[in-house]
């Protein structure tokens, strides 16, 4: 509908909005950095990921990551947020310290949810369009 998406920050004690941070259009997924300083927000219609400073409630930057970012998860082993894209089938790594794209791998269009094992080395990525599941190894970036 052309409207800008965003994040509404709500005070849980008063149940009132304390801030609205514009991000991008589309459905959103959230992942937090391990120190809870940053929120990574996918913007599916804009093909971007916005990074919000949670302490200051400000937008730090918006990264062009690929077509239709659909899922994200944090890898403790790589200290990286991985973003799967259903449109172009890419898997993009965003360094949780530098807040920059550090890797991009083309897998196959239709990627869906990504989830890491507790140690953060291996992830399972599903592709519901093609009925596949992939195992991603952050050590080999493959």
């Amino acid at each position: 509908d052309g409207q800008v998406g965003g994040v509404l920050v709500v005070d849980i004690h008063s149940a009132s909005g304390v801030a609205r941070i514009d991000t991008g259009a589309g459905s959103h997924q959230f992942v937090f950095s391990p120190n809870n300083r940053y929120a990574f927000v996918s913007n599916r219609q804009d093909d971007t990921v916005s990074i919000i400073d949670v302490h200051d409630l400000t937008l730090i930057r918006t990264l062009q990551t690929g077509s239709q970012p659909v899922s994200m998860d944090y890898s403790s082993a790589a200290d990286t947020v991985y973003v799967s894209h259903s449109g172009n089938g890419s898997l993009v790594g965003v360094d949780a310290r530098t807040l920059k794209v550090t890797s991009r791998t083309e897998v196959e269009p239709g990627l869906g949810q990504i989830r890491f094992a507790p140690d953060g080395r291996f992830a399972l990525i599903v592709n519901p369009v093609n009925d596949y599941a992939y195992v991603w190894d952050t050590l080999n970036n493959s």
Side-chain angles (χ1 to χ4, degrees):
D1 60 7
Q3 294 182 351
V4 174
V7 174
L8 179 63
V9 180
V10 177
D11 181 315
I12 61 171
H13 300 292
S14 67
S16 61
V18 295
R20 185 184 191 295
I21 305 161
D22 289 341
T23 58
S27 58
H28 306 289
Q29 295 279 319
F30 287 83
V31 172
F32 291 91
S33 62
N35 62 0
N36 293 316
R37 178 65 191 248
Y38 301 108
F40 297 79
V41 182
S42 65
N43 309 301
R44 189 168 182 174
Q45 286 179 304
D46 282 347
D47 302 335
T48 61
V49 171
S50 297
I51 303 172
I52 296 171
D53 184 314
V54 176
H55 297 181
D56 298 336
L57 301 179
T58 57
L59 179 66
I60 300 295
R61 70 175 46 124
T62 298
L63 304 171
Q64 292 287 332
T65 58
S67 178
Q68 301 177 356
V70 68
S71 183
M72 300 185 297
D73 202 12
Y74 171 76
S75 164
S76 58
D79 199 18
T80 298
V81 172
Y82 285 91
V83 185
S84 64
H85 297 80
S86 63
N88 64 356
S90 64
L91 183 64
V92 173
V94 178
D95 187 289
R97 293 177 315 277
T98 66
L99 309 179
K100 295 180 180 177
V101 172
T102 55
S103 66
R104 183 180 309 271
T105 304
E106 301 303 320
V107 182
E108 189 169 10
L111 291 184
Q113 295 292 313
I114 178 172
R115 292 295 174 258
F116 276 91
D119 70 358
R121 179 173 173 186
F122 294 101
L124 184 66
I125 310 166
V126 298
N127 187 324
V129 172
N130 297 322
D131 293 327
Y132 291 140
Y134 306 93
V135 176
W136 185 259
D137 182 352
T138 60
L139 183 65
N140 301 319
N141 214 23
S142 62

